Amino acid sequence: MKCITFSAVAAAALLQTAAAAGKCGDQSCGKKTPCCVRGYCNANAMYCMPMNCEPQNSYSANSCWDTPHCVSSKVDFGGGDAFAQISDYNGDPSSAAFVSQFEPSNAKIGGGRLQMELVKQSDGKGFGATVTNTRAIQYGTVSAVMRSGGNSGGVVSSFIIRNDKLGDEIDFEFVGHETSSVQSNYYWHDHLDYTKMVKSPSLSDTSQNDHTYQIQWTPDQIVWSVDGNEFRVVKRSETWDAAENTFKYPDSEAYISFSIWDGGSGAQGTSEWAGGAIQWGQGPFIANVKSVEIDCFYKGNETTYTPPGDSDDHSTSSGKDDDDDKDSDDEKSASEKDKSDDDDEDKSSDDDEDKSSDDNSSSASDKDSADENAGKDEPSDDKDETDDVNTGSAATMLVSLGTTVAALLMAYAF
């Protein structure tokens, strides 16, 4: 009898817990503003694009836009469908290959190039720009013809492939006080090991001359090249961590992005790495990209790849899946996205590792601006009352149902 009574109470508690799920900060998103990002709800691209949107906190699990997968292409920034401001993007990747991530936007097309400018704010800090590919990639070769943002310390430019939610990253980073080389690094699940950074051989001034920077990413290895010359290789087999029983190798579906940001105003470790405070008199500071070529690992197929399990043999994988595996990947892509979205997004580091937020391809001021814009875009307490009523009614019905179930089962027990 006690067992039945406990089960009834537990059932009611579970239903009540379900009714409280889906909170976005201190509110619940409604039908008209369904997408949640950092405690705010809205319906535009800044909120609903899959790299930002939080499905578990949104109006429903289907509120966030689907993830468009990789299609091999060459993006020429002189073309009309290469770039869009985020306020103009409707979620169709064929309408824009890349989209700016912030408002106000310091990214634009000029002279047939994508231009991203670092602008001095009233507090003396710089506010930059981040531009992200509208399709996700999981393995492939990405080449960018570009120039870094300037020759002053503190100015940091980036070419990155990153999954923000999991913290997998492969990057090129340019620091303004060292324009004769570019830095390469990679991270797995935000395990930030800056000692793994490797510089390229000597280059002509990266802020004044075009160079072709290439990342070749496969299930087996990552290769960094500049102007066709390989200078670094990391093999997946070399990343095995016996203590944690896993390969610390970036293998999750991610987004290509370019950015410029103020590293000089960051924490001491970041500022020292970036070359100190920005010398604004040496500006303007504009990173620009002429073109990007994307060669997907899976030719002509918008599929994803499931890496070998950690229980598998520690040897590297054999390469591409066969046709049956590709068909299976098609069916699994949606569930893989949901799993990725549900992964823990908390990030932490010591004071000397404050560069973690910088490695997300934007400065702290960029993120603050994004939060401020989120607050401005979010409707006030008088938002869609119908949605609130519907949400409240659903919660009431669930709680009532839970109570009824408990009562009936308890009555039956007696």
Side-chain angles (χ1 to χ4, degrees):
M1 179 173 66
K2 290 182 180 179
C3 179
I4 294 175
T5 302
F6 175 78
S7 298
V9 173
L14 286 171
L15 287 170
Q16 291 176 11
T17 300
K23 293 288 286 184
C24 183
D26 60 357
Q27 63 183 307
S28 295
C29 296
K31 288 183 180 179
K32 292 186 177 179
T33 55
C35 302
C36 175
V37 176
R38 295 192 297 275
Y40 296 100
C41 303
N42 214 309
N44 61 25
M46 186 179 291
Y47 291 79
C48 294
M49 289 182 72
M51 74 279 289
N52 299 329
C53 191
E54 303 164 14
Q56 69 276 19
N57 299 324
S58 296
Y59 177 71
S60 75
N62 298 321
S63 295
C64 300
W65 295 350
D66 290 337
T67 301
H69 303 295
C70 186
V71 170
S72 296
S73 60
K74 181 170 183 180
V75 180
D76 182 346
F77 285 103
D81 58 355
F83 171 75
Q85 301 294 351
I86 197 163
S87 57
D88 299 326
Y89 183 59
N90 63 5
D92 177 7
S94 66
S95 68
F98 284 82
V99 63
S100 175
Q101 284 291 290
F102 299 114
E103 290 182 328
S105 175
N106 291 330
K108 65 179 183 180
I109 299 297
R113 291 173 176 262
L114 170 66
Q115 298 181 351
M116 297 167 289
E117 185 170 9
L118 185 61
V119 177
K120 185 178 182 180
Q121 302 181 108
S122 58
D123 62 1
K125 296 180 179 180
F127 181 78
T130 297
V131 173
T132 303
N133 193 206
T134 54
R135 290 185 177 275
I137 183 171
Q138 190 174 31
Y139 305 125
T141 301
V142 184
S143 304
V145 179
M146 63 178 291
R147 297 179 187 178
S148 61
N151 58 7
S152 166
V155 177
V156 182
S157 312
S158 305
F159 162 23
I160 287 176
I161 303 174
R162 179 174 171 85
N163 180 318
D164 270 344
K165 293 184 177 182
L166 288 181
D168 283 0
E169 176 176 320
I170 307 167
D171 66 40
F172 280 108
E173 292 194 282
F174 308 81
V175 288
H177 67 298
E178 294 181 359
T179 59
S180 62
S181 65
V182 63
Q183 300 180 7
S184 68
N185 214 336
Y186 72 98
Y187 307 116
W188 176 84
H189 290 199
D190 270 339
H191 287 213
L192 305 174
D193 184 354
Y194 305 121
T195 65
K196 296 185 300 185
M197 185 273 287
V198 173
K199 294 182 181 180
S200 71
S202 181
L203 303 170
S204 60
D205 191 330
T206 61
S207 67
Q208 299 295 318
N209 300 287
D210 283 340
H211 294 284
T212 301
Y213 303 91
Q214 183 182 91
I215 296 170
Q216 185 184 59
W217 176 35
T218 71
D220 297 332
Q221 64 182 17
I222 306 166
V223 180
W224 288 260
S225 305
V226 182
D227 296 330
N229 300 312
E230 297 180 4
F231 70 92
R232 183 181 188 183
V233 178
V234 170
K235 295 184 178 297
R236 180 177 184 272
S237 59
E238 299 168 347
T239 68
W240 175 253
D241 187 318
E244 296 192 30
N245 196 39
T246 190
F247 291 100
K248 292 187 174 180
Y249 183 81
D251 53 21
S252 60
E253 195 170 33
Y255 289 87
I256 304 161
S257 68
F258 300 92
S259 67
I260 186 170
W261 49 277
D262 179 0
S265 64
Q268 182 178 354
T270 300
S271 181
E272 290 176 353
W273 165 79
I278 294 176
Q279 304 301 307
W280 290 102
Q282 296 177 214
F285 303 115
I286 301 173
N288 65 79
V289 185
K290 181 179 181 182
S291 62
V292 182
E293 188 164 355
I294 302 168
D295 185 13
C296 310
F297 188 72
Y298 302 105
K299 308 286 186 188
N301 219 339
E302 294 189 28
T303 59
T304 55
Y305 170 84
T306 303
D310 293 334
S311 61
D312 292 351
D313 184 79
H314 300 173
S315 62
T316 58
S317 59
S318 60
K320 301 182 182 181
D321 298 328
D322 59 23
D323 291 338
D324 290 339
D325 289 333
K326 289 185 177 180
D327 291 338
S328 175
D329 282 333
D330 281 330
E331 295 171 3
K332 292 186 295 181
S333 60
S335 61
E336 288 171 346
K337 170 183 177 294
D338 291 340
K339 178 179 181 299
S340 172
D341 289 338
D342 288 336
D343 279 322
D344 185 10
E345 299 178 65
D346 293 337
K347 300 174 184 177
S348 61
S349 61
D350 296 328
D351 289 341
D352 289 340
E353 295 179 344
D354 283 343
K355 182 171 163 282
S356 61
S357 61
D358 303 330
D359 286 322
N360 291 346
S361 306
S362 62
S363 66
S365 60
D366 291 342
K367 292 185 176 180
D368 291 341
S369 174
D371 287 335
E372 290 173 6
N373 280 298
K376 291 176 182 177
D377 291 339
E378 169 58 20
S380 59
D381 291 339
D382 61 353
K383 71 183 183 70
D384 188 4
E385 296 180 0
T386 302
D387 294 336
D388 292 336
V389 171
N390 289 340
T391 303
S393 299
T396 301
M397 289 175 64
L398 282 172
V399 172
S400 176
L401 178 59
T403 305
T404 301
V405 170
L408 288 173
L409 289 176
M410 290 176 71
Y412 174 77
F414 288 99

